[in-house]
């Protein structure tokens, strides 16, 4: 499990890697800038760490295979797909693919969707878009017909540093998770959109991002305003919530290895 942090730790580290039992692996990732995104490549061979630049690290020995990539578009977010090994987005709205064999991306507006971004379900049949007020709108992907509006509790404005409403599908496609500004998470059946149990309190600070484990058993939440335990791990089946040990303050994002 790789984590980024909103603010450098006392020893200067801005990113950390944990195994599932909470042991930190020291990568020597130090710096003055906060890391905006961490992500493993689709084959798990590299960890991509981004801020104003994107640095790759080999996961077998934690060495850097080369110099960082200059995003040239502000603090970067990075993902990896089989067809696009390195996709970098900038704060100016640009998306650049560092796979020279990649094809241009084509955008299609979703009518009436809020401006906080969104996600596809794993099977590609459903789109969920979010706003900055703890609401998510669900659309059918084939014709963009609206299906439902979901929230954890009462909608309300999120703080300036809280980001848009966090949302995530489980990899098996069974669950849709929503977070809110009160540190709560609610799970929904991804097919019927019915709630699966009550809201779960995972912390006292706003939930910023959520990431399921590849087996859909765990859900990691990040809380970029928490100065002690900025990441929590939720057992989806039991509802048990644990902090990482040692804690990671001001956590911003999380990613699991493919296995």
């Amino acid at each position: 499990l790789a984590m980024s942090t909103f603010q450098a730790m006392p020893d200067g580290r801005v990113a950390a890697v944990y195994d599932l039992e909470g042991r930190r692996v020291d990568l020597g990732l130090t710096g003055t800038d906060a890391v905006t995104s961490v992500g493993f490549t689709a084959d798990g061979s590299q960890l991509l760490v981004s801020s104003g630049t994107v640095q790759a690290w080999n996961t077998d020995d934690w060495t850097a295979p080369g110099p960082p990539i200059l995003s040239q578009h502000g603090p970067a977010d990075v993902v990896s797909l089989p067809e696009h090994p390195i996709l970098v987005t900038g704060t100016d709205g640009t998306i650049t693919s560092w796979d020279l064999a990649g094809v241009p991306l084509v955008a299609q507006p979703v009518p009436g969707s809020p401006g906080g971004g969104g996600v596809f379900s794993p099977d590609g049949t459903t789109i969920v878009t979010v706003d900055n007020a703890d609401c998510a709108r669900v659309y059918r992907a084939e014709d963009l017909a609206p299906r439902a509006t979901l929230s954890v509790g009462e909608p309300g404005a999120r703080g300036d540093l809280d980001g848009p409403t966090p949302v995530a599908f489980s990899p098996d496609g069974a669950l849709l998770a929503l977070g809110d500004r009160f540190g709560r998470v609610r799970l929904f059946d991804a097919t019927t959109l019915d709630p699966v149990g009550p809201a779960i309190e995972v912390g006292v600070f706003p939930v910023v991002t959520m990431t399921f484990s590849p087996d859909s058993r765990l859900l990691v939440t990040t809380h970029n305003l928490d100065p002690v335990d900025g990441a929590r791990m939720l057992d989806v089946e039991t509802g048990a919530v644990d902090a990482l040990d040692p804690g990671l303050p001001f956590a911003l994002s999380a990613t699991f290895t493919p296995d």
Side-chain angles (χ1 to χ4, degrees):
L1 175 65
M3 305 289 303
S4 67
T5 178
F6 184 64
Q7 180 175 313
M9 291 175 274
D11 59 5
R13 281 179 288 190
V14 292
V17 173
Y18 296 80
D19 65 17
L20 288 182
E21 295 180 352
R23 180 175 58 86
R24 179 178 297 173
V25 179
D26 188 356
L27 304 185
L29 303 183
T30 60
T32 57
D33 295 332
V35 171
T36 56
S37 176
V38 288
F40 289 98
T41 54
D43 61 4
S45 64
Q46 292 181 331
L47 172 65
L48 306 174
V49 179
S50 65
S51 52
T53 62
V54 178
Q55 178 66 66
W57 297 87
N58 295 322
T59 56
D60 56 352
D61 58 7
W62 300 116
T63 59
I69 297 171
L70 299 177
S71 71
Q72 301 177 347
H73 299 284
D77 195 5
V78 61
V79 297
S80 176
L81 302 173
E83 301 85 357
H84 300 277
I86 302 179
L87 274 176
V88 178
T89 66
T91 53
D92 60 357
T94 58
I95 300 177
T96 54
S97 173
W98 292 84
D99 174 11
L100 296 181
V103 298
L105 299 178
V106 178
Q108 179 180 357
V110 180
S113 67
V119 296
F120 276 94
S121 61
D123 63 4
T125 62
T126 302
I127 301 172
V128 179
T129 63
V130 297
D131 59 14
N132 293 297
D134 284 344
C135 281
R137 297 182 186 176
V138 184
Y139 296 83
R140 194 167 53 208
E142 63 178 354
D143 56 5
L144 302 181
R147 294 186 56 198
T149 298
L150 305 176
S151 61
V152 176
E154 288 296 324
R158 295 173 62 85
D160 292 339
L161 297 179
D162 298 345
T165 306
V167 61
F169 280 99
S170 60
D172 62 9
L175 296 174
L176 171 64
L178 294 181
D180 74 0
R181 63 196 184 281
F182 299 116
R184 300 176 301 180
V185 169
R186 194 160 197 181
L187 303 176
F188 296 84
D189 185 294
T191 301
T192 65
L193 302 180
D194 293 329
V196 180
I200 301 170
E201 183 175 323
V202 294
V204 297
F205 291 91
V207 180
V208 177
T209 67
M210 299 184 297
T211 306
F212 277 96
S213 59
D215 61 5
S216 302
R217 186 174 60 87
L218 302 173
L219 178 68
V220 174
T221 63
T222 63
H223 312 257
N224 65 347
L225 298 181
D226 193 323
V228 179
D229 293 317
R232 305 297 174 92
M233 188 173 295
L234 167 67
D235 187 303
V236 172
E237 182 177 355
T238 67
V241 179
D242 293 307
L244 297 179
D245 184 19
L248 184 72
F250 308 110
L252 191 60
S253 64
T255 184
F256 283 89
T257 54
D259 60 359

